[in-house]
Amino acid sequence: MTVVYLNGSFVPYEKAMVPVEDRGFLFADGIYEVIRVYGGKPFALQDHMLRLARSAELMELPFATSPAHLKEKALEALEQSGLKEATIYIQVTRGFAGPRVHDWPKDPQPTELILVRAYESAPKESITLASVPDQRWELCHIKSIGLYLNTRARMEARRRGKDDGLFVRDGIVTEASSSNFFAVHRGTLYTHPEDHRILPGITRRYVIRLAQDLGIPVKEEPFTYEWVLNADEAFITGTTSEVTPAVGLDHQPIGGGQPGPITLRLKEAYRELVRG
Ligand code: PDD
């Protein structure tokens, strides 16, 4: 059963409403997190709450309650749902404060939403990518609900017969539309460094640790689009995509069009970790 918690109470899905002038709706002035639940247990919930708090800080966005309170309510919502395989979606916006003006309200009433719903699907065995210019804002490290260009990247990829868009900014590959990106070259794992051009993915961090545990060298440094075309392997990481092999980019196969051995080892290790 889908469970909704909105501004202090659990409400039936159909009755969960926010005012038309909520600043999330008008200005995309809000932040969010997606957490995956495996076998009834949320994976890395605390990491997600810390990132939510960090996003709020970076956007000077107040909470009506607190990340700790929302964490408690998320667990309560999950319990109420009775779901074993699920996602928990948490969103906080600057809320409703009267007629639309750019000034942030002096007395904000943030909107806090938690949505728990069933998630039965598994990530695809492998995907293909289409490069898209990264025209997003310069604060990609904030998990903002302003995702128009992320959704556009996905649709552009679909139009070109690929599964997902891979962002390229000034010749440098940053990340995919809703996942981080890794490539393997001569046994070393590469991914874009954590800065304002990518989301500091939680899956990304866990995968880096797994690679280090497996003795796979990891380099967090920028690399170009052309470099990726010559990579031995590639994959994306994310809460719902987990570790998904990327076997093609634009018109070219990556790693002969097959998932590579390092990718598959990390995919397996990540599965074991989350199912723990
Ligand atoms: N997306 N990069 C972007 C742009 C993302 O939107 C996401 C997550 C990631 C991966 O982060 P993490 O490993 O913490 O999930 C990277 C979520 C799942 C979404 O928007 O649905």
Side-chain angles (χ1 to χ4, degrees):
M1 179 186 68
T2 301
V3 172
V4 182
Y5 166 93
L6 182 64
N7 294 332
S9 34
F10 290 95
V11 278
Y13 184 88
E14 300 74 29
K15 297 245 164 75
M17 305 280 177
V18 292
V20 287
E21 290 193 294
D22 188 285
R23 299 181 73 91
F25 182 50
L26 296 185
F27 295 107
D29 188 356
I31 54 175
Y32 77 106
E33 285 293 328
V34 183
I35 300 119
R36 182 76 166 80
V37 175
Y38 297 95
K41 283 200 214 124
F43 178 70
L45 180 57
Q46 185 57 17
D47 299 276
H48 285 277
M49 298 322 291
L50 286 172
R51 188 171 62 187
L52 188 74
R54 181 73 185 130
S55 294
E57 196 179 303
L58 290 164
M59 281 185 44
E60 296 176 60
L61 187 72
F63 285 88
T65 59
S66 67
H69 180 80
L70 292 178
K71 181 181 175 187
E72 214 173 280
K73 290 294 161 188
L75 290 169
E76 219 175 296
L78 177 61
E79 182 150 339
Q80 279 192 27
S81 77
L83 293 167
K84 296 282 175 241
E85 299 300 310
T87 54
I88 304 173
Y89 178 82
I90 304 178
Q91 177 171 315
V92 180
T93 77
R94 210 173 299 269
F96 170 71
R100 179 185 181 277
V101 286
H102 279 63
D103 305 64
W104 291 347
K106 286 196 181 64
D107 181 21
Q109 294 180 30
T111 298
E112 294 180 341
L113 165 73
I114 300 169
L115 185 61
V116 176
R117 60 154 46 107
Y119 188 84
E120 304 287 355
S121 44
K124 294 184 91 164
E125 284 303 310
S126 66
I127 57 160
T128 53
L129 298 166
S131 61
V132 290
D134 195 346
Q135 295 170 324
R136 297 175 300 162
W137 67 342
E138 297 267 350
L139 301 174
C140 296
H141 57 312
I142 299 176
K143 201 156 172 62
S144 154
I145 59 172
L147 292 171
Y148 166 65
L149 288 170
N150 300 68
T151 61
R152 192 169 84 173
R154 172 71 57 81
M155 295 324 290
E156 172 63 18
R158 295 268 205 250
R159 272 195 286 270
R160 283 153 54 187
K162 312 290 179 197
D163 299 298
D164 201 4
L166 184 64
F167 286 121
V168 182
R169 195 190 287 261
D170 302 329
I172 300 295
V173 170
T174 54
E175 60 183 337
S177 77
S178 63
S179 306
N180 291 110
F181 179 79
F182 287 78
V184 177
H185 188 75
R186 295 192 181 179
T188 297
L189 190 56
Y190 292 81
T191 194
H192 195 285
E194 268 187 24
D195 62 15
H196 62 283
R197 294 185 192 88
I198 65 161
L199 187 80
I202 287 162
T203 319
R204 173 187 179 280
R205 203 28 59 214
Y206 277 97
V207 166
I208 288 173
R209 275 186 224 142
L210 287 172
Q212 287 165 341
D213 291 348
L214 289 167
I216 300 161
V218 182
K219 286 191 177 166
E220 296 178 61
E221 56 186 53
F223 45 80
T224 64
Y225 169 78
E226 286 73 23
W227 182 90
V228 173
L229 290 176
N230 291 309
D232 300 321
E233 305 179 27
F235 59 89
I236 59 166
T237 63
T239 293
T240 49
S241 50
E242 301 178 353
V243 174
T244 302
V247 297
L249 174 57
D250 294 333
H251 298 297
Q252 214 159 298
I254 300 176
Q258 296 295 326
I262 290 179
T263 302
L264 292 176
R265 262 166 83 197
L266 289 170
K267 179 181 159 163
E268 194 49 42
Y270 186 75
R271 289 245 94 194
E272 271 170 35
L273 176 72
V274 297
R275 296 266 162 210

